Amino acid sequence: ATSTLASHAPQAVGRALAVDFMRPRDRPATVEYCSLGDGSVNNAHFLAAANLAEYVAHRGGDCGVVFGIADNDSCISLPGHGWLPKFLEQRLGGAAIFRCDGTD
């Protein structure tokens, strides 16, 4: 368990990246899942993890990680205003972004 905001995000990317270094016949079909809140996306831990995942993909590597971000509009530093979708599209423009509202 971690206590620092989003400090588990780099660990998830590291575990996902480790699979890319295994021999092809030993690679499991895995995806790392990292759940965090909307306030965490402005944290350096999350931004570093997202940057590394993007860089690995850019260099042709595999980095199977999914960031599940809960947007409860309660981020202390940026409350309301619907900022999260716009931020993610600008910041993670090359990544696939999926949305759900709990009824999907």
Side-chain angles (χ1 to χ4, degrees):
T2 61
S3 59
T4 306
L5 191 66
S7 62
H8 57 295
Q11 296 171 21
V13 172
R15 286 188 301 271
L17 182 57
V19 174
D20 201 32
F21 288 95
M22 299 174 114
R23 292 183 303 204
R25 65 184 171 142
D26 294 336
R27 290 182 189 162
T30 61
V31 173
E32 288 293 321
Y33 178 76
C34 180
S35 175
L36 51 144
D38 53 351
S40 297
V41 300
N42 280 320
N43 185 283
H45 290 110
F46 171 75
L47 294 172
N51 283 341
L52 180 56
E54 285 181 311
Y55 179 74
V56 170
H58 173 74
R59 299 291 294 178
D62 291 323
C63 191
V65 63
V66 173
F67 296 108
I69 303 169
D71 183 5
N72 60 11
D73 254 354
S74 294
C75 172
I76 295 170
S77 58
L78 294 167
H81 310 295
W83 66 274
L84 183 63
K86 195 178 310 179
F87 174 85
L88 292 175
E89 287 173 4
Q90 290 173 350
R91 177 62 199 88
L92 304 176
I97 298 174
F98 303 94
R99 295 185 180 103
C100 67
D101 65 7
T103 62
D104 299 14

XYZ file of all heavy atoms in Angstrom:
764
model
N 0.841 -1.187 0.000
C 0.000 0.000 0.000
C 0.878 1.239 0.000
O 1.966 1.238 0.547
C -0.915 -0.015 1.202
N 0.377 2.276 -0.620
C 1.113 3.527 -0.666
C 0.275 4.622 -0.040
O -0.941 4.522 0.058
C 1.448 3.917 -2.116
O 0.229 4.075 -2.829
C 2.316 2.877 -2.786
N 0.919 5.678 0.368
C 0.184 6.772 0.973
C 0.317 8.067 0.187
O -0.489 8.960 0.338
C 0.661 6.993 2.415
O 2.039 7.280 2.416
N 1.330 8.189 -0.637
C 1.532 9.401 -1.411
C 0.617 9.379 -2.633
O 0.487 8.363 -3.304
C 3.000 9.509 -1.864
O 3.829 9.396 -0.722
C 3.251 10.815 -2.560
N 0.020 10.513 -2.931
C -0.915 10.636 -4.036
C -0.309 10.116 -5.344
O 0.760 10.568 -5.752
C -1.296 12.108 -4.199
C -2.449 12.456 -5.112
C -3.746 11.909 -4.543
C -2.554 13.959 -5.250
N -0.946 9.141 -5.962
C -0.571 8.579 -7.271
C 0.789 7.887 -7.298
O 1.311 7.608 -8.366
C -0.644 9.642 -8.355
N 1.368 7.583 -6.156
C 2.697 6.963 -6.169
C 2.664 5.525 -6.684
O 3.705 4.956 -6.984
C 3.332 7.011 -4.780
O 2.559 6.284 -3.852
N 1.491 4.945 -6.828
C 1.379 3.594 -7.370
C 1.394 3.584 -8.902
O 1.568 2.548 -9.518
C 0.116 2.913 -6.834
C -1.141 3.673 -7.126
N -1.401 4.922 -6.584
C -2.197 3.384 -7.912
C -2.579 5.339 -7.023
N -3.074 4.427 -7.833
N 1.230 4.739 -9.535
C 1.197 4.797 -11.002
C 2.535 4.393 -11.638
O 2.547 3.569 -12.565
C 0.765 6.188 -11.469
N 3.677 4.922 -11.184
C 4.945 4.473 -11.776
C 5.207 2.987 -11.544
O 5.804 2.320 -12.399
C 6.006 5.329 -11.073
C 5.280 6.531 -10.607
C 3.898 6.052 -10.261
N 4.759 2.466 -10.420
C 4.938 1.036 -10.152
C 4.148 0.199 -11.156
O 4.632 -0.830 -11.639
C 4.502 0.714 -8.730
C 5.343 1.391 -7.678
C 4.759 1.236 -6.290
O 3.965 0.350 -6.025
N 5.159 2.111 -5.390
N 2.935 0.622 -11.482
C 2.114 -0.102 -12.461
C 2.776 -0.087 -13.834
O 2.820 -1.108 -14.527
C 0.718 0.512 -12.533
N 3.319 1.059 -14.225
C 4.007 1.146 -15.518
C 5.252 0.270 -15.507
O 5.546 -0.414 -16.484
C 4.354 2.614 -15.859
C 5.239 2.691 -17.096
C 3.084 3.409 -16.077
N 5.978 0.260 -14.408
C 7.171 -0.585 -14.307
C 6.846 -2.056 -14.441
O 7.549 -2.800 -15.134
N 5.764 -2.496 -13.791
C 5.363 -3.910 -13.921
C 4.943 -4.229 -15.348
O 5.277 -5.280 -15.887
C 4.243 -4.235 -12.936
C 4.704 -4.346 -11.496
C 3.609 -4.869 -10.585
N 2.427 -4.023 -10.591
C 2.237 -2.985 -9.777
N 3.156 -2.659 -8.897
N 1.120 -2.291 -9.840
N 4.218 -3.306 -15.982
C 3.795 -3.524 -17.367
C 5.004 -3.561 -18.299
O 5.066 -4.378 -19.215
C 2.825 -2.419 -17.791
N 5.952 -2.688 -18.062
C 7.145 -2.629 -18.900
C 8.023 -3.862 -18.722
O 8.662 -4.320 -19.673
C 7.937 -1.364 -18.572
C 9.194 -1.091 -19.381
C 8.878 -1.031 -20.863
C 9.825 0.210 -18.918
N 8.045 -4.428 -17.532
C 8.879 -5.605 -17.268
C 8.508 -6.774 -18.175
O 9.376 -7.555 -18.576
C 8.754 -6.012 -15.810
N 7.242 -6.881 -18.519
C 6.794 -7.977 -19.391
C 7.475 -7.884 -20.749
O 7.792 -8.889 -21.374
C 5.255 -7.957 -19.525
C 4.778 -8.976 -20.540
C 4.605 -8.213 -18.173
N 7.740 -6.659 -21.215
C 8.375 -6.456 -22.522
C 9.805 -7.000 -22.548
O 10.342 -7.272 -23.617
C 8.371 -4.964 -22.870
C 8.538 -4.710 -24.358
O 8.071 -5.535 -25.165
O 9.136 -3.686 -24.714
N 10.424 -7.159 -21.396
C 11.797 -7.650 -21.321
C 11.887 -9.165 -21.164
O 12.978 -9.716 -21.126
C 12.547 -6.958 -20.171
C 12.859 -5.531 -20.470
C 12.015 -4.524 -20.040
C 13.978 -5.187 -21.214
C 12.288 -3.199 -20.325
C 14.263 -3.863 -21.501
C 13.408 -2.870 -21.055
N 10.744 -9.829 -21.069
C 10.746 -11.296 -20.967
C 10.936 -11.914 -22.348
O 10.649 -11.286 -23.369
C 9.420 -11.774 -20.378
C 9.137 -11.264 -18.988
S 7.485 -11.736 -18.477
C 7.884 -12.850 -17.171
N 11.398 -13.138 -22.349
C 11.480 -13.854 -23.621
C 10.069 -13.984 -24.188
O 9.117 -14.204 -23.445
C 12.074 -15.240 -23.404
C 13.534 -15.199 -23.005
C 14.077 -16.594 -22.884
N 13.262 -17.331 -21.905
C 13.671 -18.377 -21.214
N 14.878 -18.844 -21.410
N 12.899 -18.975 -20.353
N 9.929 -13.848 -25.496
C 8.586 -13.873 -26.092
C 7.741 -15.075 -25.669
O 6.547 -14.937 -25.425
C 8.865 -13.896 -27.594
C 10.166 -13.180 -27.718
C 10.956 -13.569 -26.494
N 8.347 -16.246 -25.551
C 7.550 -17.433 -25.193
C 7.111 -17.418 -23.732
O 6.188 -18.126 -23.348
C 8.318 -18.705 -25.498
C 9.561 -18.855 -24.651
C 10.356 -20.074 -25.046
N 11.619 -20.019 -24.327
C 12.220 -21.056 -23.827
N 11.710 -22.241 -23.988
N 13.351 -20.919 -23.191
N 7.772 -16.607 -22.885
C 7.433 -16.539 -21.466
C 6.515 -15.371 -21.111
O 6.114 -15.235 -19.962
C 8.712 -16.412 -20.622
C 9.586 -17.648 -20.711
O 9.053 -18.737 -21.017
O 10.804 -17.516 -20.481
N 6.183 -14.539 -22.085
C 5.382 -13.351 -21.801
C 3.927 -13.705 -21.526
O 3.241 -14.254 -22.387
C 5.425 -12.376 -22.968
C 6.748 -11.710 -23.137
C 6.714 -10.718 -24.267
N 8.082 -10.265 -24.514
C 8.477 -9.679 -25.610
N 7.625 -9.453 -26.585
N 9.725 -9.304 -25.754
N 3.448 -13.343 -20.358
C 2.019 -13.556 -20.094
C 1.201 -12.446 -20.758
O 1.706 -11.343 -21.000
C 1.928 -13.458 -18.572
C 3.052 -12.548 -18.195
C 4.157 -12.812 -19.200
N -0.026 -12.732 -21.054
C -0.927 -11.712 -21.613
C -1.536 -10.967 -20.429
O -2.559 -11.367 -19.881
C -2.005 -12.362 -22.460
N -0.869 -9.898 -20.022
C -1.309 -9.161 -18.843
C -1.488 -7.684 -19.146
O -0.912 -7.154 -20.087
C -0.289 -9.278 -17.691
O 0.952 -8.727 -18.113
C -0.087 -10.715 -17.281
N -2.283 -7.054 -18.316
C -2.464 -5.607 -18.343
C -2.474 -5.144 -16.890
O -3.144 -5.730 -16.048
C -3.793 -5.209 -19.023
C -4.050 -3.716 -18.900
C -3.803 -5.634 -20.474
N -1.712 -4.120 -16.609
C -1.716 -3.522 -15.278
C -2.835 -2.499 -15.207
O -3.034 -1.723 -16.139
C -0.383 -2.831 -14.983
C 0.752 -3.771 -14.747
C 0.589 -4.577 -13.466
O 0.114 -4.035 -12.450
O 0.945 -5.765 -13.491
N -3.556 -2.480 -14.099
C -4.630 -1.516 -13.898
C -4.263 -0.615 -12.729
O -3.908 -1.088 -11.659
C -5.958 -2.222 -13.616
C -7.092 -1.260 -13.365
C -7.683 -0.578 -14.417
C -7.552 -1.011 -12.077
C -8.704 0.321 -14.197
C -8.579 -0.119 -11.851
C -9.153 0.543 -12.916
O -10.162 1.435 -12.689
N -4.338 0.678 -12.944
C -3.994 1.666 -11.921
C -5.194 2.589 -11.738
O -5.569 3.322 -12.645
C -2.763 2.450 -12.370
S -2.247 3.701 -11.201
N -5.798 2.547 -10.579
C -6.977 3.353 -10.282
C -6.576 4.576 -9.462
O -5.843 4.460 -8.484
C -7.983 2.500 -9.498
O -9.082 3.278 -9.104
N -7.064 5.737 -9.884
C -6.775 6.955 -9.146
C -7.886 7.972 -9.349
O -8.739 7.805 -10.206
C -5.420 7.545 -9.556
C -5.145 7.747 -11.023
C -4.329 9.008 -11.224
C -4.342 6.573 -11.539
N -7.864 9.017 -8.550
C -8.877 10.055 -8.632
C -8.451 11.198 -9.527
O -7.285 11.322 -9.905
N -9.409 12.072 -9.823
C -9.137 13.168 -10.748
C -8.054 14.110 -10.241
O -7.310 14.681 -11.026
C -10.413 13.935 -11.089
C -11.200 14.410 -9.884
O -10.875 14.020 -8.742
O -12.155 15.178 -10.083
N -7.906 14.267 -8.953
C -6.865 15.134 -8.412
C -5.462 14.606 -8.634
O -4.495 15.366 -8.627
N -5.341 13.311 -8.844
C -4.026 12.694 -9.007
C -3.386 12.956 -10.360
O -2.183 12.784 -10.514
C -4.127 11.180 -8.800
O -4.535 10.888 -7.484
N -4.163 13.360 -11.351
C -3.586 13.527 -12.684
C -2.673 14.742 -12.783
O -1.921 14.863 -13.740
C -4.660 13.570 -13.794
C -5.459 12.290 -13.826
C -5.555 14.775 -13.653
N -2.715 15.618 -11.811
C -1.798 16.762 -11.784
C -0.578 16.479 -10.923
O 0.251 17.354 -10.721
C -2.504 18.016 -11.255
C -3.331 18.677 -12.314
O -2.926 18.764 -13.461
N -4.506 19.141 -11.946
N -0.470 15.274 -10.413
C 0.635 14.904 -9.539
C 1.813 14.390 -10.365
O 1.626 13.705 -11.373
C 0.154 13.831 -8.556
C 1.187 13.473 -7.548
O 2.120 12.745 -7.855
N 1.029 13.970 -6.333
N 3.003 14.701 -9.923
C 4.205 14.293 -10.662
C 4.322 12.784 -10.806
O 4.837 12.303 -11.819
C 5.446 14.844 -9.974
N 3.844 12.024 -9.834
C 3.913 10.564 -9.946
C 3.101 10.075 -11.150
O 3.557 9.250 -11.938
C 3.387 9.888 -8.679
C 4.270 10.062 -7.500
N 3.923 10.844 -6.430
C 5.492 9.563 -7.212
C 4.884 10.819 -5.535
N 5.855 10.046 -5.992
N 1.883 10.581 -11.290
C 1.056 10.171 -12.423
C 1.651 10.672 -13.737
O 1.715 9.933 -14.724
C -0.380 10.676 -12.288
C -1.183 10.444 -13.535
C -1.640 9.174 -13.848
C -1.441 11.465 -14.425
C -2.354 8.931 -15.015
C -2.149 11.246 -15.594
C -2.619 9.970 -15.884
N 2.072 11.924 -13.767
C 2.614 12.484 -15.006
C 3.873 11.752 -15.454
O 4.064 11.501 -16.646
C 2.883 13.980 -14.829
C 1.622 14.830 -14.623
C 2.002 16.250 -14.253
C 0.740 14.799 -15.850
N 4.725 11.368 -14.504
C 5.927 10.605 -14.855
C 5.551 9.238 -15.408
O 6.141 8.765 -16.384
C 6.833 10.456 -13.639
N 4.567 8.603 -14.792
C 4.125 7.287 -15.267
C 3.531 7.386 -16.670
O 3.840 6.568 -17.550
C 3.101 6.706 -14.295
N 2.698 8.388 -16.893
C 2.092 8.566 -18.218
C 3.165 8.876 -19.261
O 3.129 8.350 -20.376
C 1.050 9.681 -18.167
N 4.138 9.712 -18.903
C 5.230 10.025 -19.831
C 6.019 8.786 -20.205
O 6.358 8.580 -21.374
C 6.175 11.064 -19.218
C 5.617 12.462 -19.255
O 4.718 12.756 -20.017
N 6.150 13.318 -18.409
N 6.342 7.957 -19.221
C 7.116 6.744 -19.504
C 6.318 5.786 -20.383
O 6.854 5.231 -21.340
C 7.543 6.048 -18.214
C 8.346 4.770 -18.392
C 9.600 5.009 -19.238
C 8.710 4.174 -17.040
N 5.046 5.596 -20.084
C 4.214 4.706 -20.899
C 4.130 5.211 -22.339
O 4.235 4.430 -23.290
C 2.821 4.584 -20.287
N 3.974 6.519 -22.506
C 3.928 7.100 -23.850
C 5.261 6.936 -24.570
O 5.304 6.630 -25.759
C 3.580 8.584 -23.778
C 2.132 8.855 -23.480
C 1.846 10.344 -23.458
O 2.584 11.086 -22.793
O 0.870 10.749 -24.114
N 6.359 7.130 -23.857
C 7.686 7.006 -24.461
C 7.947 5.564 -24.917
O 8.458 5.343 -26.017
C 8.767 7.454 -23.477
C 10.156 7.324 -24.034
C 10.614 8.229 -24.997
C 11.004 6.309 -23.631
C 11.889 8.112 -25.528
C 12.278 6.185 -24.158
C 12.711 7.088 -25.103
O 13.968 6.959 -25.630
N 7.591 4.619 -24.078
C 7.773 3.204 -24.441
C 6.975 2.884 -25.698
O 7.478 2.243 -26.622
C 7.371 2.287 -23.267
C 7.309 0.836 -23.708
C 8.342 2.458 -22.108
N 5.725 3.337 -25.747
C 4.897 3.090 -26.935
C 5.501 3.774 -28.160
O 5.519 3.190 -29.252
C 3.479 3.591 -26.687
N 5.996 4.979 -27.995
C 6.618 5.719 -29.101
C 7.837 4.975 -29.645
O 8.093 4.988 -30.847
C 7.018 7.115 -28.622
C 7.818 7.892 -29.617
N 7.255 8.445 -30.760
C 9.134 8.202 -29.667
C 8.195 9.055 -31.447
N 9.345 8.930 -30.811
N 8.580 4.327 -28.768
C 9.777 3.583 -29.174
C 9.454 2.168 -29.650
O 10.346 1.394 -29.961
C 10.770 3.510 -28.018
C 11.274 4.857 -27.517
C 12.158 5.542 -28.492
N 13.371 4.753 -28.639
C 14.357 5.052 -29.454
N 14.293 6.131 -30.180
N 15.417 4.297 -29.534
N 8.168 1.811 -29.705
C 7.772 0.516 -30.228
C 7.671 -0.583 -29.196
O 7.476 -1.746 -29.554
N 7.796 -0.248 -27.936
C 7.680 -1.255 -26.883
C 6.239 -1.475 -26.468
O 5.335 -0.747 -26.879
N 6.041 -2.503 -25.679
C 4.721 -2.798 -25.134
C 4.679 -2.363 -23.679
O 5.591 -2.665 -22.906
C 4.415 -4.298 -25.220
C 4.218 -4.748 -26.655
O 3.642 -3.981 -27.436
O 4.640 -5.872 -26.980
N 3.634 -1.680 -23.326
C 3.466 -1.230 -21.944
C 1.982 -1.306 -21.640
O 1.267 -0.308 -21.724
C 4.015 0.177 -21.765
S 4.135 0.689 -20.058
N 1.521 -2.496 -21.322
C 0.102 -2.725 -21.080
C -0.356 -2.186 -19.734
O -0.345 -2.894 -18.737
N -0.733 -0.924 -19.720
C -1.221 -0.312 -18.481
C -2.494 0.465 -18.786
O -2.613 1.108 -19.825
C -0.156 0.597 -17.822
C 0.200 1.769 -18.698
C -0.584 1.066 -16.446
N -3.456 0.356 -17.882
C -4.714 1.095 -17.982
C -4.826 1.969 -16.749
O -4.716 1.480 -15.624
C -5.926 0.137 -18.066
C -7.231 0.909 -17.994
C -5.865 -0.705 -19.321
N -5.024 3.268 -16.969
C -5.250 4.183 -15.865
C -6.753 4.413 -15.753
O -7.364 4.966 -16.657
C -4.544 5.519 -16.098
C -3.048 5.421 -16.152
C -2.370 5.565 -17.342
C -2.321 5.170 -15.006
C -0.991 5.477 -17.399
C -0.931 5.067 -15.047
C -0.274 5.222 -16.239
N -7.342 3.967 -14.660
C -8.759 4.198 -14.390
C -8.882 5.439 -13.527
O -8.489 5.425 -12.359
N -9.392 6.518 -14.085
C -9.441 7.793 -13.374
C -10.892 8.126 -13.045
O -11.717 8.301 -13.946
C -8.810 8.912 -14.217
C -7.365 8.542 -14.572
C -8.866 10.238 -13.472
C -6.736 9.423 -15.607
N -11.182 8.206 -11.764
C -12.524 8.538 -11.301
C -12.677 10.056 -11.266
O -11.939 10.741 -10.569
C -12.765 7.954 -9.919
N -13.612 10.561 -12.033
C -13.866 12.006 -12.068
C -15.098 12.287 -11.210
O -16.223 12.195 -11.671
C -14.092 12.461 -13.502
C -14.297 13.969 -13.610
O -14.164 14.668 -12.579
O -14.588 14.441 -14.712
N -14.860 12.631 -9.958
C -15.982 12.929 -9.073
C -16.176 14.434 -8.890
O -16.924 14.860 -8.024
C -15.801 12.242 -7.724
C -14.535 12.668 -7.011
O -13.883 13.619 -7.416
N -14.180 11.952 -5.962
N -15.472 15.223 -9.690
C -15.567 16.685 -9.638
C -15.243 17.250 -8.259
O -15.720 18.305 -7.891
C -16.951 17.162 -10.079
C -16.938 17.792 -11.454
O -15.842 17.955 -12.018
O -18.020 18.112 -11.964
N -14.431 16.517 -7.504
C -14.080 16.971 -6.154
C -12.590 17.219 -5.989
O -12.091 17.232 -4.872
C -14.531 15.930 -5.120
O -15.923 15.853 -5.101
N -11.882 17.392 -7.070
C -10.457 17.687 -6.995
C -10.274 18.992 -6.228
O -10.882 20.009 -6.556
C -9.881 17.788 -8.402
S -8.182 18.362 -8.458
N -9.434 18.986 -5.212
C -9.243 20.165 -4.371
C -8.662 21.330 -5.164
O -9.090 22.468 -5.033
C -8.345 19.830 -3.163
C -9.056 18.829 -2.274
C -7.971 21.077 -2.394
C -8.184 18.238 -1.187
N -7.687 21.048 -6.028
C -7.015 22.135 -6.741
C -7.780 22.623 -7.965
O -7.615 23.753 -8.386
C -5.600 21.711 -7.141
O -5.648 20.556 -7.935
N -8.609 21.781 -8.565
C -9.370 22.170 -9.756
C -10.802 21.648 -9.671
O -11.213 20.814 -10.471
C -8.706 21.613 -11.019
C -7.333 22.182 -11.368
C -6.669 21.338 -12.426
C -7.454 23.611 -11.829
N -11.584 22.117 -8.705
C -12.932 21.587 -8.547
C -13.852 21.985 -9.702
O -13.806 23.114 -10.183
C -13.405 22.190 -7.231
C -12.645 23.461 -7.097
C -11.314 23.198 -7.751
N -14.669 21.039 -10.112
C -15.694 21.320 -11.112
C -15.157 21.772 -12.453
O -14.045 21.463 -12.852
N -15.951 22.486 -13.173
C -15.615 23.100 -14.453
C -15.351 22.089 -15.562
O -14.923 22.466 -16.634
C -14.415 24.051 -14.338
C -14.529 25.039 -13.222
N -15.497 26.016 -13.203
C -13.827 25.172 -12.075
C -15.372 26.728 -12.103
N -14.378 26.235 -11.398
N -15.550 20.793 -15.339
C -15.385 19.805 -16.399
C -14.010 19.782 -17.029
O -13.861 19.520 -18.208
N -12.977 20.033 -16.276
C -11.621 20.170 -16.788
C -10.968 18.838 -17.140
O -10.100 18.791 -17.995
C -10.735 20.897 -15.771
C -10.539 20.099 -14.520
C -11.365 20.076 -13.435
C -9.492 19.197 -14.234
N -10.897 19.208 -12.487
C -9.739 18.651 -12.950
C -8.365 18.773 -14.933
C -8.900 17.713 -12.368
C -7.531 17.847 -14.341
C -7.805 17.327 -13.070
N -11.356 17.741 -16.484
C -10.615 16.482 -16.630
C -10.615 15.922 -18.053
O -9.548 15.597 -18.575
C -11.112 15.431 -15.637
C -10.351 14.122 -15.657
C -8.886 14.333 -15.263
C -10.992 13.107 -14.729
N -11.753 15.786 -18.720
C -11.706 15.233 -20.088
C -10.810 16.047 -21.015
O -10.035 15.488 -21.795
C -13.165 15.277 -20.558
C -13.957 15.265 -19.299
C -13.137 16.023 -18.287
N -10.892 17.360 -20.932
C -10.069 18.222 -21.780
C -8.583 18.032 -21.459
O -7.749 17.931 -22.352
C -10.470 19.675 -21.560
C -9.955 20.625 -22.610
C -10.417 22.060 -22.361
C -11.905 22.110 -22.127
N -12.413 23.453 -21.853
N -8.258 17.965 -20.179
C -6.873 17.772 -19.755
C -6.326 16.452 -20.286
O -5.223 16.395 -20.834
C -6.778 17.808 -18.230
C -5.407 17.485 -17.702
C -4.440 18.474 -17.597
C -5.079 16.202 -17.302
C -3.177 18.182 -17.109
C -3.818 15.898 -16.819
C -2.863 16.895 -16.719
N -7.095 15.383 -20.143
C -6.624 14.066 -20.582
C -6.439 14.004 -22.089
O -5.484 13.415 -22.574
C -7.579 12.973 -20.111
C -7.613 12.738 -18.599
C -8.672 11.721 -18.249
C -6.256 12.322 -18.077
N -7.346 14.598 -22.830
C -7.212 14.588 -24.288
C -5.988 15.379 -24.742
O -5.300 14.983 -25.676
C -8.481 15.138 -24.930
C -9.640 14.170 -24.837
C -10.951 14.765 -25.304
O -10.969 15.920 -25.784
O -11.976 14.071 -25.171
N -5.703 16.486 -24.071
C -4.522 17.274 -24.430
C -3.247 16.583 -23.990
O -2.262 16.533 -24.719
C -4.597 18.660 -23.799
C -5.657 19.524 -24.417
C -5.838 20.839 -23.664
O -5.298 21.030 -22.581
N -6.609 21.740 -24.241
N -3.249 16.053 -22.779
C -2.034 15.471 -22.201
C -1.753 14.085 -22.745
O -0.619 13.695 -22.948
C -2.179 15.434 -20.678
C -1.047 14.790 -19.935
C 0.256 15.576 -20.179
N 1.389 14.762 -19.854
C 1.998 13.926 -20.692
N 1.589 13.797 -21.908
N 3.019 13.215 -20.305
N -2.795 13.296 -22.944
C -2.627 11.911 -23.389
C -3.204 11.730 -24.787
O -3.822 10.714 -25.085
C -3.327 10.957 -22.411
C -2.892 11.048 -20.950
C -3.733 10.121 -20.094
C -1.427 10.728 -20.796
N -2.965 12.693 -25.645
C -3.558 12.691 -26.976
C -3.278 11.447 -27.796
O -4.083 11.053 -28.616
N -2.154 10.786 -27.565
C -1.826 9.602 -28.343
C -2.388 8.320 -27.755
O -2.352 7.274 -28.390
N -2.921 8.397 -26.559
C -3.436 7.196 -25.889
C -4.936 7.055 -26.140
O -5.642 8.042 -26.337
C -3.179 7.282 -24.384
N -5.387 5.826 -26.129
C -6.823 5.581 -26.251
C -7.501 6.002 -24.955
O -7.053 5.659 -23.865
C -7.081 4.105 -26.531
N -8.567 6.767 -25.073
C -9.310 7.232 -23.907
C -10.733 6.712 -24.021
O -11.408 6.914 -25.034
C -9.304 8.770 -23.825
C -7.880 9.286 -23.667
C -10.182 9.251 -22.677
C -7.743 10.791 -23.719
N -11.172 6.027 -22.989
C -12.524 5.464 -22.940
C -13.257 6.110 -21.778
O -12.682 6.359 -20.730
C -12.488 3.950 -22.748
C -11.710 3.249 -23.815
C -10.370 2.941 -23.631
C -12.301 2.905 -25.016
C -9.634 2.302 -24.609
C -11.578 2.277 -26.005
C -10.245 1.963 -25.798
N -14.533 6.367 -21.956
C -15.346 6.974 -20.908
C -16.515 6.064 -20.574
O -17.079 5.426 -21.450
C -15.880 8.327 -21.357
C -14.816 9.350 -21.569
C -15.448 10.702 -21.897
N -14.402 11.688 -22.090
C -14.003 12.123 -23.269
N -14.541 11.663 -24.373
N -13.045 13.016 -23.353
N -16.875 6.056 -19.312
C -18.084 5.360 -18.892
C -18.674 6.128 -17.718
O -17.978 6.868 -17.024
C -17.819 3.913 -18.540
S -16.791 3.695 -17.078
N -19.967 5.964 -17.516
C -20.614 6.691 -16.421
C -21.179 5.752 -15.353
O -21.967 6.165 -14.522
C -21.698 7.612 -16.964
C -22.845 6.862 -17.607
O -22.885 5.616 -17.534
O -23.719 7.525 -18.192
N -20.789 4.510 -15.389
C -21.280 3.559 -14.412
C -22.540 2.838 -14.850
O -22.943 1.864 -14.232
N -23.163 3.298 -15.904
C -24.346 2.614 -16.429
C -24.035 1.911 -17.731
O -24.913 1.295 -18.316
C -25.506 3.612 -16.656
O -25.098 4.584 -17.630
C -25.901 4.309 -15.364
N -22.788 2.042 -18.208
C -22.372 1.421 -19.476
C -22.178 -0.070 -19.307
O -21.669 -0.525 -18.337
C -21.072 2.041 -19.981
C -21.201 3.520 -20.253
O -22.192 4.114 -19.813
O -20.312 4.078 -20.896
